[in-house]
Amino acid sequence: MHSILITTLFLVVAPFSTAAPAPLSLTRKDTALTEAQIVQIAPTSENCDNPPAKGECATAHTAAKFASQSFDQYKVTNKAEQAAVLAIMAYESGDFKYNKNHYPGIPGQGTRNMQSAAFNKKYIASIPALRESSARVADDAAALLELLLENETYDFGSGAWFLTTQCTDEVRKALQSGSEAGWQSYITQCVGTSASGDRKAYWDRAVKALGA
Ligand SMILES: *[C@@H]1O[C@H](CO)[C@@H](O)[C@H](O)[C@H]1NC(C)=O
């Protein structure tokens, strides 16, 4: 028993540093999302056992890390906005089991908020590190999506990118108030879909998980 425990600890610690690491709680900002919050929002995201689509599933642990990173990068600090974006991502990706559209299978539609190819093209254009490789694949929507999916930073960054670049100030202000009407206008006026009961269930859980 004892030796198994030591081995496990070593494996967890080794990739980061050979010196004694600081506890995670000291190295991460206290605004970072936790795995538990993600599981609360996306109840089946605890693990990726038997994933329905090969290579697409991400665990709550991974989602927490990269969604937090995206909120830092795009300066989405308001909790109501964070809740709305996380709810979209969790709903659209089937609790983070998918990052490509499968039903019906529209080429180029994907990333964790399952945005359409036209938005993925704009999103890629905003990422300097992808300039060269995206020029090589030109207008091939499926290939452009693959570029985004190769890096979790981009895969999980689309929700915050979309909110901060594609929604009007008016929509964001209403959303930031935390009201249900604000959430509805974000869904109907910016995301461009209907504020269905299924979506609202994700949003309700996200508001609760974040204390928004
Ligand atoms: C993913 O993209 C980020 C931002 O451009 C970069 O810092 C990071 O090194 C990339 N990760 C991999 C695995 O390429």
Side-chain angles (χ1 to χ4, degrees):
M1 282 299 280
H2 187 69
S3 66
I4 289 169
L5 180 64
I6 298 291
T7 307
T8 307
L9 284 174
F10 176 74
L11 284 174
V12 169
V13 166
F16 301 104
S17 169
T18 49
L24 274 183
S25 59
L26 294 181
T27 57
R28 289 176 64 169
K29 288 196 221 164
D30 59 7
T31 53
L33 300 162
T34 65
E35 182 178 344
Q37 284 173 313
I38 298 294
V39 172
Q40 205 178 330
I41 300 165
T44 68
S45 65
E46 218 156 307
N47 62 60
C48 279
D49 299 347
N50 306 310
K54 196 168 175 273
E56 293 186 44
C57 185
T59 61
H61 177 82
T62 298
K65 177 180 168 187
F66 288 100
S68 295
Q69 203 184 84
S70 79
F71 292 149
D72 286 346
Q73 185 185 348
Y74 291 97
K75 300 183 173 50
V76 178
T77 55
N78 178 279
K79 279 183 195 269
E81 285 193 314
Q82 292 184 351
V85 170
L86 286 169
I88 286 267
M89 291 166 67
Y91 174 81
E92 290 287 345
S93 67
D95 289 0
F96 304 106
K97 289 179 177 26
Y98 300 96
N99 58 8
K100 289 181 195 167
N101 173 276
H102 287 261
Y103 312 103
I106 300 167
Q109 181 176 354
T111 74
R112 295 299 167 180
N113 67 346
M114 218 49 80
Q115 62 189 15
S116 67
F119 288 115
N120 280 329
K121 201 176 167 190
K122 281 191 192 178
Y123 178 39
I124 284 182
S126 78
I127 302 171
L130 291 182
R131 200 153 290 155
E132 270 179 40
S133 34
S134 62
R136 272 200 299 277
V137 295
D139 275 333
D140 181 339
L144 288 170
L145 175 60
E146 289 303 332
L147 287 179
L148 292 170
L149 302 188
E150 276 168 13
N151 188 323
E152 285 148 316
T153 297
Y154 308 140
D155 186 14
F156 282 89
S158 54
W161 169 82
F162 186 90
L163 170 71
T164 56
T165 63
Q166 306 302 308
C167 297
T168 62
D169 283 349
E170 195 186 345
V171 163
R172 287 194 67 183
K173 281 214 179 76
L175 184 59
Q176 285 165 5
S177 77
S179 70
E180 186 175 339
W183 171 72
Q184 281 175 351
S185 70
Y186 163 66
I187 296 294
T188 59
Q189 293 174 38
C190 188
V191 176
T193 186
S194 63
S196 67
D198 283 0
R199 283 184 190 278
K200 186 170 177 298
Y202 272 87
W203 177 66
D204 284 338
R205 289 199 298 270
V207 166
K208 224 172 173 181
L210 268 61

